[in-house]
C-alpha cells in the first residue's frame, strides 16, 4: 500500500510539481506543507465553473414536469443549491489531511470497508462522465452541422474525438490546470448562460395557480435537485488538499458553496422558465427553439462547454479514485484507464440508442448506496471535528483505521441500515421500494443519508474522537 502511494518527485528537487500545463506528480499521498499553495478563493471558480452544466437546466425542467409551479420549482432549485454549503465544508478534510476524499473515508469505514464504495464511486463518476461526453458530443455535432463543416457519422466521430480530447488533456495535466481551466472557461460560460437566462425569463409563466404535485411530485423534485450537489460528496477534498493548513473553514465553505450555488440555481431557474413555455422532454431541443436564431449556435457551444467543465472535474477525481482502489500507477497513468472506459462507453451511448437510458436508470439506482455513504462520511467528519490521523489513513494494518480486519463495524452497520431505508423508499425506473406506495408515492431515498448518519452517531459516539496530533 505504501509503495503504491509514493509520489513521483520533480527532477532535482523532491518537491512535487503542481503548475498549470505541467503533469501533476502528486497522487493520494499526503501533500506536504512545502507543496501547499493557493487560497479558498480558488474554490469559487472551481465549483462555479464545474456546475455551469446543462444538467441543471434539465433538472429545473423536470421539477415543472413533476407538477410544480414556477415559484414552487424555483424554491426547490434554491434549496438544492444550498446543499453546496455542506459539500464545500467537507473540503476541510483535504486541508487537514492533504489527501483525497476517498482516502479520508477510510476513517469511518475502515481500510477494507472503504473499498466497495470506492469501486462504486468510480463506476458512477465514469457513468456521469460518459453522459456529459455524449451531451457535449451531440451539441458539438449540431454546431458543426450548422456551420456546414461536417455531418453524419463523420461529424459525430469528430465531435466525440474533440470532446474527449478537451476533457482528457486538462484532467491529465492535473490539479493546477483543472483549476485554471475551470476559471477561464467559467468566464465565457457565465456570460453566455447569463444571456440565455435573460432571453428565457421574460416568457416564463409565473402567475399561474400553485401546482398540486402531491407527495410524489415534491419528493421527486427534491431528489433531482439534491442529487446534483450530493454527487460531489466523494470529491471535495480532492480540490482542497493543496490549500495551506491555515485555510479557515469559514472561507473555504463560503467560497466553494457560493460558486456551486450561483451556477446551479441560475441554470435551474432557466430550466424552470423554459419548462413553463414549451415541452422539455428533449431539453436541448426544447430550450433551443425558445431562443432567437442568432443565439442558437452560441447555445450549442454553451452546452458543450458545460459538459466539458463538469467532465474534467469528474475524470480527474476518478484517477485519484483508482489509486484508492490500489491501482499501482501514478495518477497521470491511472487516468488513462478512466479515459479509455469513458471513450468506449460514449461510443456505445452514441450508436446504441438504448444504452443511454439504461445507464441513466442504473445511475439513478446507485443513490441507494451513495446517500447513506455520504451520511456516514459527513457524520464522522463532524464527530471528529475534521481532525484525522493523516498517516494512519495510509498505513493499513498498523494504523488506527484498520479496526477489525480492516472494517469499522459502526460504519458498516450504519451504511447497511441507511441502504435498507433507501431501498425501501426508492422510486426509480429499475426499482420501486415497497414503502413508496404507502407513503403516497414519495421517494425518500435521500433521507437514507440522515438515517445512516444518525445510526453511525449512535454506534460510534463513544469511540470516534478527534485526532489531536500534528495532522
Amino acid at each position: 500500500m505504501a509503495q503504491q502511494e509514493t509520489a513521483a518527485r520533480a527532477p532535482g528537487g523532491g518537491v512535487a510539481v503542481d503548475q498549470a500545463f505541467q503533469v501533476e506528480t502528486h497522487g493520494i499521498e499526503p501533500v506536504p506543507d512545502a507543496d501547499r499553495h493557493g487560497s479558498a478563493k480558488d474554490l469559487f471558480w472551481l465549483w462555479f465553473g464545474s456546475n455551469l452544466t446543462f444538467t441543471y437546466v434539465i433538472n429545473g425542467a423536470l421539477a415543472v414536469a413533476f407538477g410544480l409551479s414556477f415559484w414552487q420549482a424555483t424554491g426547490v432549485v434554491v434549496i438544492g443549491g444550498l446543499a453546496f454549503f455542506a459539500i464545500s465544508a467537507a473540503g476541510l478534510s483535504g486541508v487537514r489531511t492533504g489527501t483525497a476524499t476517498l482516502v479520508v473515508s477510510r476513517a469511518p469505514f475502515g481500510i477494507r470497508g472503504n473499498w466497495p464504495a470506492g469501486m462504486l464511486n468510480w463506476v458512477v463518476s465514469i457513468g456521469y462522465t460518459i453522459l456529459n461526453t455524449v451531451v457535449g458530443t451531440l451539441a458539438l455535432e449540431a454546431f458543426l452541422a450548422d456551420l456546414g463543416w461536417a455531418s453524419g457519422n463523420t461529424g459525430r466521430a469528430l465531435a466525440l474525438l474533440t470532446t474527449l480530447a478537451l476533457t482528457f488533456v486538462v484532467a491529465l495535466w492535473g490539479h493546477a490546470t483543472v483549476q485554471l481551466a475551470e476559471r477561464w472557461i467559467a468566464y465565457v460560460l457565465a456570460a453566455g448562460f447569463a444571456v440565455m437566462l435573460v432571453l428565457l425569463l421574460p416568457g416564463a409563466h409565473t402567475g399561474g395557480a400553485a401546482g398540486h404535485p402531491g407527495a410524489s411530485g415534491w419528493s421527486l423534485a427534491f431528489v433531482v435537485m439534491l442529487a446534483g450537489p450530493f454527487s460531489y460528496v466523494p470529491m471535495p477534498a480532492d480540490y482542497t488538499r493543496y490549500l495551506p493548513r491555515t485555510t479557515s473553514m469559514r472561507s473555504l465553505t463560503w467560497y466553494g458553496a457560493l460558486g456551486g450555488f450561483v451556477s446551479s440555481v441560475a441554470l435551474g431557474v432557466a430550466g424552470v422558465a423554459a419548462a413553463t413555455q414549451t415541452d422539455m422532454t428533449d431539453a436541448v431541443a426544447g430550450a433551443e427553439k425558445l431562443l432567437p436564431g442568432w443565439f442558437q449556435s452560441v447555445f450549442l457551444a454553451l452546452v458543450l462547454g458545460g459538459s466539458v467543465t463538469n467532465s474534467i472535474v469528474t475524470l480527474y477525481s476518478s484517477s485519484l479514485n483508482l489509486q484508492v482502489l490500489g491501482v499501482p500507477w501514478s495518477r497521470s497513468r491511472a487516468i488513462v484507464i478512466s479515459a479509455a472506459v469513458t471513450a468506449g462507453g460514449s461510443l456505445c451511448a452514441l450508436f446504441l440508442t438504448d444504452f443511454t437510458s439504461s445507464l441513466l436508470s442504473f445511475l439513478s439506482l446507485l443513490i441507494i448506496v451513495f446517500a447513506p455513504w455520504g451520511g456516514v462520511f459527513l457524520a464522522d467528519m463532524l464527530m471528529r471535528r475534521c481532525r484525522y490521523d493523516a498517516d494512519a489513513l495510509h498505513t493499513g494494518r498498523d494504523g488506527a483505521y484498520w479496526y477489525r480486519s480492516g472494517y469499522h463495524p459502526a460504519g458498516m452497520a450504519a451504511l447497511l441500515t441507511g441502504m435498507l431505508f433507501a431501498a425501501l423508499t426508492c422510486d426509480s425506473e429499475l426499482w420501486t421500494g415497497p414503502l413508496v406506495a404507502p407513503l403516497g408515492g414519495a421517494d425518500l431515498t435521500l433521507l437514507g443519508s440522515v438515517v445512516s448518519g444518525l445510526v453511525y452517531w449512535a454506534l460510534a459516539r463513544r469511540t470516534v474522537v478527534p485526532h489531536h496530533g500534528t495532522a
Side-chain angles (χ1 to χ4, degrees):
M1 180 81 66
Q3 291 179 348
Q4 293 173 1
E5 296 176 359
T6 300
R9 290 297 178 180
V15 177
V17 175
D18 183 44
Q19 297 180 12
F21 310 117
Q22 296 188 32
V23 176
E24 176 193 4
T25 55
H26 272 310
I28 60 171
E29 81 291 344
V31 177
D33 288 341
D35 292 4
R36 302 287 191 102
H37 61 89
S39 70
K41 293 179 182 179
D42 298 330
L43 297 176
F44 175 86
W45 294 108
L46 176 81
W47 292 113
F48 181 72
S50 62
N51 285 285
L52 284 170
T53 171
F54 195 74
T55 302
Y56 289 105
V57 177
I58 298 173
N59 292 348
L62 283 173
V64 176
F66 294 146
L68 276 67
S69 68
F70 176 88
W71 292 112
Q72 289 171 336
T74 297
V76 174
V77 167
V78 172
I79 293 172
L82 291 173
F84 278 103
F85 279 88
I87 303 304
S88 189
L92 184 62
S93 61
V95 174
R96 293 276 173 81
T97 64
T99 192
T101 304
L102 283 169
V103 175
V104 178
S105 63
R106 290 169 175 171
F109 297 106
I111 304 297
R112 288 177 172 170
N114 189 56
W115 198 93
M119 185 65 207
L120 282 173
N121 181 72
W122 183 78
V123 172
V124 170
S125 65
I126 294 301
Y128 279 118
T129 306
I130 290 171
L131 290 175
N132 275 312
T133 299
V134 169
V135 171
T137 297
L138 294 176
L140 181 55
E141 179 187 10
F143 181 77
L144 294 174
D146 288 346
L147 296 176
W149 290 356
S151 60
N153 289 337
T154 301
R156 179 164 293 190
L158 178 60
L160 174 60
L161 182 62
T162 303
T163 305
L164 286 171
L166 289 171
T167 303
F168 174 70
V169 170
V170 174
L172 173 67
W173 269 322
H175 176 265
T177 311
V178 168
Q179 286 198 320
L180 183 67
E182 293 291 340
R183 175 190 289 263
W184 284 99
I185 296 175
Y187 293 155
V188 178
L189 292 181
F193 277 122
V195 174
M196 186 188 78
L197 190 61
V198 170
L199 293 172
L200 289 177
L201 276 180
H205 301 304
T206 62
H212 300 285
S216 176
W218 280 108
S219 65
L220 287 172
F222 274 110
V223 166
V224 166
M225 294 303 170
L226 291 170
F230 216 81
S231 67
Y232 290 112
V233 172
M235 298 184 193
D238 301 2
Y239 303 100
T240 59
R241 71 194 203 281
Y242 278 96
L243 292 177
R245 293 181 190 274
T246 54
T247 305
S248 72
M249 181 175 181
R250 176 178 294 181
S251 63
L252 178 147
T253 301
W254 274 95
Y255 279 115
L258 286 176
F261 178 84
V262 171
S263 52
S264 65
V265 169
L267 294 184
V269 171
V272 172
T276 64
Q277 302 172 64
T278 189
D279 179 12
M280 290 286 284
T281 304
D282 182 340
V284 173
E288 186 177 11
K289 70 182 181 182
L290 293 175
L291 299 168
W294 61 267
F295 190 75
Q296 290 180 0
S297 293
V298 177
F299 168 71
L300 293 173
L302 292 174
V303 175
L304 168 65
S307 298
V308 168
T309 59
N310 193 267
S311 292
I312 287 170
V313 169
T314 309
L315 189 62
Y316 173 79
S317 285
S318 76
S319 64
L320 297 173
N321 197 158
L322 286 173
Q323 288 192 311
V324 174
L325 294 175
V327 173
W329 289 358
S330 67
R331 182 207 61 81
S332 57
R333 290 180 64 193
I335 203 172
V336 176
I337 299 175
S338 296
V341 176
T342 297
S346 300
L347 284 169
C348 291
L350 288 165
F351 294 100
L352 299 177
T353 55
D354 61 340
F355 180 86
T356 303
S357 60
S358 298
L359 181 60
L360 275 169
S361 299
F362 173 66
L363 292 174
S364 68
L365 191 63
L366 286 182
I367 197 171
I368 291 175
V369 176
F370 283 101
W373 182 91
V376 175
F377 175 76
L378 294 173
D380 181 78
M381 188 181 72
L382 290 172
M383 293 165 69
R384 296 180 193 275
R385 299 175 190 172
C386 213
R387 296 187 180 278
Y388 302 89
D389 183 342
D391 293 333
L393 291 169
H394 301 268
T395 51
R397 293 176 181 272
D398 299 325
Y401 305 123
W402 185 251
Y403 302 113
R404 296 182 185 176
S405 301
Y407 298 90
H408 188 198
M412 301 308 293
L415 175 63
L416 292 173
T417 303
M419 287 173 59
L420 176 62
F421 176 88
L424 292 173
T425 59
C426 175
D427 184 13
S428 72
E429 291 187 24
L430 295 182
W431 169 258
T432 300
L435 295 183
V436 172
L439 290 169
D443 183 336
L444 302 182
T445 316
L446 285 174
L447 288 182
S449 60
V450 178
V451 171
S452 64
L454 290 174
V455 171
Y456 184 73
W457 174 82
L459 295 176
R461 68 185 188 278
R462 295 180 180 176
T463 57
V464 170
V465 296
H467 177 70
H468 295 294
T470 57

